[in-house]
Each structure stands twice: as C-alpha cells, then as structure tokens.
Amino acid sequence: MSHPVVEERPAAHGDALNLVRAAIAEAAGPEAALQRVVDLLHDRFPPYDWVGIYWVDGSDLVLGPWTGPEATEHTRIPIGTGVCGAAAASGQTEIVRDVAADPRYLACFTSTRSEIVVPIFDGGEVIGEIDIDGSDLDAFDDTDARFLEEIAALLAPLRPRT
Ligand code: SME
C-alpha cells in the first residue's frame, strides 16, 4: 500500500514560528525584533551555532543583527561572492553540508562545518538573507530550509530603510 507524502512541520519549528511572530509583534521596533529573532533561532536550535541576517545594500550584503560565539570579519560581502553571495545572486536557498568541500565558502569561524543561507524576498527581489553556521557536518536539511523560508518571509517587512 502506498502512503501519501505528508509535509509535516516538526513541533519545534511550529513553536518557534509562533514565538517569532509574537516577538515581532511585541518588539519596540524593527531592529529589536530582528535581534530577538536571531536570538530565538540560536537559543532554540542547538545546531544553529551562529545566526545572522545580511541585508542587500547596492551590490553588497551588509551584516545586520547576529548572535553567536564570535563576530565575523565578513560584515560586507559582494553579491556573487561566498555562499552568502551565491544565495543572494540566485535567490535559491543554499545548504552546504561540508564547507570544506565547497570552493565558494568564505571562512568565518574555524568551528564551522556546514552552513545554510536563506534569501529574504520583497516581491520577487532578494533584499537580504538569513545565514546560519553549524559546527557539525550536515547540520541542515530541507526541513530547516522550509522553516527558515517561513521565518524569512516574516523578516522582510523589518528591513532597515537606507
Ligand atoms: N560563510 C559565508 C560568509 C559569512 S560567515 O559564515 C558569517 C559565505 O561563504 O558566504
């Protein structure tokens, strides 16, 4: 007997989505909301070691709020460079199971083994992205991608105006 494929969202992702919606609704402003969201993602998902948001600024990505053990030197990344720049250029979520095997990878932290980058859209245009580094190989899968795409949609209205 064949079983229909049912797309199920893990409970932890559903809970986190609700917390993110509440945090955005209750925050004093967009900057506080964004910081709260990266903190929530980092704190609730142990494989999410470093969580940051980059915003598109002309032909670059510029680092916004982040949470993690250390600061990155990559606070401005040209679109098209690195895994972050590839996702911004293509509009596709990037899952890198082993950063050592991806020639595009721009190293930030010696502990990073895998990475996921999820574009944030306004209309059809990429306006930013969520970047998450993991200390385990293969830390991210399609479930993370779909979850973070839902989070990205919630973040789009919070983009800082330049
Ligand atoms: N690894 C990213 C650069 C950003 S840091 O991970 C925070 C890249 O390859 O684009």
Side-chain angles (χ1 to χ4, degrees):
M1 200 172 111
S2 71
H3 297 277
V5 176
V6 179
E7 282 261 338
E8 276 181 28
R9 181 192 289 138
H13 288 167
D15 290 349
L17 266 170
N18 286 333
L19 286 172
V20 164
R21 286 195 189 96
I24 291 172
E26 289 159 17
E31 209 170 309
L34 290 163
Q35 187 66 53
R36 188 79 192 94
V37 173
V38 293
D39 291 349
L40 266 168
L41 292 173
H42 176 265
D43 296 349
R44 294 187 72 87
F45 296 94
Y48 296 8
D49 284 312
W50 188 97
V51 181
I53 295 169
Y54 285 89
W55 297 109
V56 171
D57 176 25
S59 56
D60 291 338
L61 291 158
V62 175
L63 184 62
W66 62 272
T67 299
E70 21 171 350
T72 174
E73 68 189 46
H74 296 295
T75 55
R76 183 173 278 272
I77 300 172
I79 292 174
T81 298
V83 180
C84 287
S90 69
Q92 304 284 321
T93 292
E94 291 281 350
I95 296 175
V96 179
R97 300 175 56 181
D98 177 2
V99 295
D102 193 322
R104 302 168 304 172
Y105 175 65
L106 281 178
C108 285
F109 317 111
T110 51
S111 55
T112 300
R113 309 292 300 282
S114 55
E115 181 164 12
I116 184 168
V117 183
V118 177
I120 301 171
F121 292 94
D122 182 12
E125 189 193 344
V126 177
I127 58 165
E129 59 191 32
I130 303 168
D131 176 28
I132 304 183
D133 286 35
S135 303
D136 296 325
L137 272 181
D138 210 4
F140 311 107
D141 63 16
D142 284 347
T143 313
D144 295 288
R146 300 296 90 75
F147 164 63
L148 292 167
E149 286 161 6
E150 289 188 80
I151 299 282
L154 299 174
L155 300 187
L158 304 175
R159 168 171 59 157
R161 299 288 153 186
T162 47

